[in-house]
Amino acid sequence: MIAFYYIFKFLAKLFLPIVVKKVVEKAGQNFQEQQQRAQQTTWKKTPNNDEIIIDTANSKNPRETKKVGDYVDYEEID
């Protein structure tokens, strides 16, 4: 058990920084790809006027708020 602990600790010191670096690089790469895809699909320029048109066909409908009840105004009685 003790030998396993020290071996695991030694291997973690060697490989953990490399694994963390790869995970962070991959996450950054995925984030950049998502941002590029989002910009390409939502923003379109018209060739004539250089106007920006926002494509809202894929956007979600805003959530409707449910009415819970009517507001009742009251006065405190001393």
Side-chain angles (χ1 to χ4, degrees), residues 14-31:
L14 288 178
F15 294 115
L16 193 60
I18 296 169
V19 171
V20 170
K21 184 178 177 182
K22 296 273 185 186
V23 168
V24 169
E25 287 176 355
K26 186 69 175 174
Q29 195 175 42
N30 287 341
F31 178 74

Side-chain angles (χ1 to χ4, degrees), residues 14-74:
L14 288 178
F15 294 115
L16 193 60
I18 296 169
V19 171
V20 170
K21 184 178 177 182
K22 296 273 185 186
V23 168
V24 169
E25 287 176 355
K26 186 69 175 174
Q29 195 175 42
N30 287 341
F31 178 74
Q32 286 179 352
E33 289 174 4
Q34 284 180 342
Q35 292 299 320
Q36 288 174 353
R37 273 189 254 127
Q39 286 178 352
Q40 290 172 356
T41 58
T42 57
W43 295 94
K44 297 180 183 178
K45 282 193 172 184
T46 58
N48 299 341
N49 304 2
D50 288 336
E51 293 179 17
I52 296 176
I53 299 173
I54 300 174
D55 182 17
T56 59
N58 293 335
S59 67
K60 295 180 181 177
N61 294 335
R63 295 182 184 170
E64 295 182 18
T65 57
K66 296 180 181 179
K67 287 190 175 183
V68 178
D70 295 328
Y71 177 77
V72 178
D73 194 21
Y74 66 94

